């Protein structure tokens, strides 16, 4: 299987699940799935893809929660802390620059830290199937087909 470097985008202001989620306790770190957070579940998916290079782009305010999850899963990561959040495109840019430093010949998979996927084995099968397309295409997008226009991600 072609090498993939997972890039976890871990930002957001915690407003979508208010009042449960807020700036000090964003939704990706709420322990709502058998004492696991969405961030924890994202790391579990990353472990299926690669045991090596993992990149996390995050706000410095989330450092403690990120460190706890990495320790829980015995993972190391290259973490880029944004001084000021500039939304998804900037986070992806920083992740790609870090991936290029780690290994410019590897491909990446960009994963939001706050999405719920209930079937990791099906997710991994989709990733394996998509990897064969990477020689033909520069970009592959996995997701749910939208039903209406929206400016929001997710």
């Amino acid at each position: 299987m072609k090498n993939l470097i997972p890039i976890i985008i871990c930002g957001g202001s915690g407003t979508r699940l208010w009042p449960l989620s807020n700036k000090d306790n964003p939704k990706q770190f709420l322990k709502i799935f058998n004492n696991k957070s969405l961030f924890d579940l994202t790391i579990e998916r990353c472990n299926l893809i690669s045991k090596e290079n993992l990149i996390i782009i995050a706000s410095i305010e989330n450092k403690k929660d990120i460190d706890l999850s990495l320790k829980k899963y015995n993972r190391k990561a290259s973490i880029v802390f944004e001084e000021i959040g500039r939304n998804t495109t900037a986070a992806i840019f920083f992740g790609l620059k870090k991936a290029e430093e780690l290994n410019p010949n590897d491909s990446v998979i960009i994963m939001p830290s706050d999405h719920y996927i209930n079937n990791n084995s099906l997710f991994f099968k989709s990733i394996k199937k998509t990897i064969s397309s990477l020689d033909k295409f520069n970009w592959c997008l996995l997701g749910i087909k939208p039903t209406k226009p929206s400016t929001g991600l997710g």
Side-chain angles (χ1 to χ4, degrees):
M1 186 163 107
K2 188 172 182 145
N3 288 329
L4 282 179
I5 299 174
I7 299 173
I8 299 176
I9 305 300
C10 184
S13 57
T15 58
R16 287 198 178 131
L17 285 179
W18 183 89
L20 197 61
S21 170
N22 55 58
K23 186 177 186 253
D24 297 326
N25 198 21
K27 72 177 174 181
Q28 64 265 33
F29 298 111
L30 298 175
K31 306 252 187 258
I32 53 178
F33 300 97
N34 294 325
N35 204 31
K36 295 179 183 178
S37 66
L38 290 166
F39 185 78
D40 291 336
L41 297 176
T42 304
I43 289 180
E44 287 180 2
R45 286 191 297 280
C46 288
N47 285 342
L48 295 173
I49 296 166
S50 171
K51 299 287 187 201
E52 295 175 20
N53 297 322
L54 171 61
I55 299 169
I56 300 171
I57 311 301
S59 168
I60 191 70
E61 286 87 15
N62 297 329
K63 182 181 185 336
K64 184 183 89 179
D65 291 312
I66 291 168
D67 289 343
L68 286 171
S69 288
L70 290 173
K71 184 176 181 179
K72 179 180 183 177
Y73 288 95
N74 197 28
R75 277 302 299 253
K76 293 189 188 307
S78 297
I79 306 173
V80 177
F81 290 111
E82 296 179 294
E83 292 180 28
I84 299 171
R86 294 290 184 214
N87 295 326
T88 306
T89 303
I92 290 171
F93 172 80
F94 291 131
L96 293 173
K97 291 299 285 178
K98 180 54 82 173
E100 186 178 46
E101 287 174 23
L102 294 173
N103 190 340
N105 296 317
D106 283 352
S107 293
V108 300
I109 178 167
I110 299 163
M111 302 169 66
S113 64
D114 62 353
H115 288 189
Y116 177 71
I117 297 173
N118 68 350
N119 188 331
N120 281 350
S121 61
L122 184 58
F123 170 80
F124 187 61
K125 284 180 188 174
S126 297
I127 297 301
K128 282 176 39 177
K129 185 177 176 183
T130 302
I131 288 171
S132 63
S133 302
L134 292 177
D135 291 333
K136 240 191 310 188
F137 302 104
N138 290 325
W139 292 83
C140 293
L141 179 62
L142 300 174
I144 298 169
K145 187 175 180 178
T147 58
K148 64 182 186 227
S150 174
T151 58
L153 174 66

